[in-house]
Amino acid sequence: MEEKILTGTVSFVHHQKQYATIDYKEGQKNKTINFQTDIKDLAKTGVSSKDKKHHFRTGDTVNFQLKLTPRGDRLNAYNVKFLYNNELDKLIQKANIDNHFKGFLKVVDDAYFVKELDSYLFFPLVLSQWEVKPSEETFNEAFEFRLVNLDKQNVAAELIHPSYIPAFKTAMKLYKSKTPVEATVSRISPYAIYLNIVGKELQAKLPLLPEEQDKLKTGYTVKVLITYLSSSKIAVEKVK
């Protein structure tokens, strides 16, 4: 039974309980089967190891096999492999031209997802480490978002109008004005100096030069210039 490979379409995904339903045909009969989507526990999930990072959505066409549950009382889908999703392909094509969508937010196991307004497809929401997490009071409002990782299987979303912590906003002003800042040494490793740039919430690092090994200590200050700043990365250089 496990050797037979079947093809079906994901018709329902329960994100909280981490299972999905596949509609498929066997002979002339229409059938449904469930599988576990919990990527945190690959020992129990029905997902193939190749697709462990794929976030299954309604409309996914998949290959799968059948396997008895450990109790032997029913069948589950197993070794589920994502093939394609026509609705997802349409959204990706649109994103390559005009990457601007609207959707509603949802939290599942402390992870944020956004449901696209027209297709109802769910995408994991990528949040910057310096971004303020949306409050549940705003979940009834439509958020504007764009799709990221368009060339990969694990397509995700990010907000077009994110809200950042005050330290990031301060760092952005310093970056745009090219104003040096007195950074505090928080840690020193054999190869790098770790710095608190604005308070303790924004951190960067510099290479540790041989002549600095005995001169710098935790708590010392170093004047630096922010040379690059994005929602995911900060780079600095020392100012003499």
Side-chain angles (χ1 to χ4, degrees):
M1 183 177 296
E2 288 186 46
E3 296 179 358
K4 185 176 181 180
I5 298 177
L6 301 166
T7 301
T9 303
V10 175
S11 58
F12 175 76
V13 180
H14 199 304
H15 294 277
Q16 281 94 345
K17 295 185 178 179
Q18 297 173 327
Y19 78 88
T21 300
I22 302 171
D23 292 346
Y24 69 104
K25 273 193 173 182
E26 195 167 26
Q28 298 300 314
K29 293 183 178 180
N30 293 322
K31 294 187 175 183
T32 62
I33 195 77
N34 293 334
F35 71 98
Q36 296 296 316
T37 61
D38 184 7
I39 61 173
K40 296 177 183 177
D41 191 350
L42 289 178
K44 295 181 180 179
T45 186
V47 181
S48 72
S49 57
K50 173 177 173 281
D51 286 336
K52 63 183 179 180
K53 292 185 179 180
H54 178 71
H55 294 273
F56 287 92
R57 306 174 179 90
T58 57
D60 282 356
T61 297
V62 296
N63 277 348
F64 64 97
Q65 296 166 286
L66 298 177
K67 184 178 182 179
L68 284 171
T69 62
R71 292 193 302 179
D73 56 345
R74 58 188 171 85
L75 291 170
N76 270 350
Y78 182 73
N79 200 24
V80 181
K81 296 180 179 179
F82 171 78
L83 298 177
Y84 60 88
N85 185 316
N86 288 328
E87 196 64 39
L88 176 62
D89 290 342
K90 291 179 184 177
L91 291 182
I92 292 175
Q93 289 175 10
K94 178 182 181 301
N96 283 316
I97 301 170
D98 179 20
N99 198 351
H100 195 131
F101 301 91
K102 287 186 177 182
F104 293 94
L105 296 181
K106 189 178 184 66
V107 177
V108 180
D109 287 343
D110 297 325
Y112 285 78
F113 290 82
V114 60
K115 181 174 69 174
E116 200 271 326
L117 200 59
D118 296 321
S119 67
Y120 294 99
L121 292 181
F122 277 79
F123 298 95
L125 182 65
V126 179
L127 292 171
S128 163
Q129 60 180 314
W130 305 304
E131 194 171 340
V132 178
K133 293 181 179 180
S135 64
E136 292 193 24
E137 289 78 14
T138 63
F139 282 15
N140 291 326
E141 304 172 7
F143 283 79
E144 294 179 297
F145 71 94
R146 64 174 64 90
L147 295 179
V148 294
N149 299 329
L150 297 181
D151 58 340
K152 300 179 182 178
Q153 187 170 305
N154 52 334
V155 181
E158 67 178 14
L159 297 180
I160 290 178
H161 303 293
S163 177
Y164 291 103
I165 61 175
F168 181 84
K169 295 177 181 178
T170 299
M172 183 58 72
K173 290 178 181 178
L174 294 168
Y175 169 60
K176 289 181 177 179
S177 64
K178 297 183 179 180
T179 302
V181 58
E182 291 285 346
T184 304
V185 177
S186 62
R187 183 165 67 91
I188 300 174
S189 76
Y191 306 102
I193 307 165
Y194 294 84
L195 303 168
N196 291 331
I197 305 301
V198 180
K200 295 182 179 180
E201 296 172 301
L202 247 74
Q203 297 182 321
K205 67 178 180 178
L206 289 169
L208 179 63
L209 302 177
E211 61 269 24
E212 297 175 321
Q213 290 182 352
D214 297 325
K215 295 180 180 179
L216 285 176
K217 293 182 180 182
T218 302
Y220 281 24
T221 59
V222 179
K223 184 176 285 189
V224 297
L225 184 71
I226 301 173
T227 57
Y228 179 82
L229 182 62
S230 70
S231 60
S232 59
K233 183 179 178 181
I234 181 171
V236 298
E237 65 179 23
K238 189 180 291 186
V239 177
K240 293 183 180 180

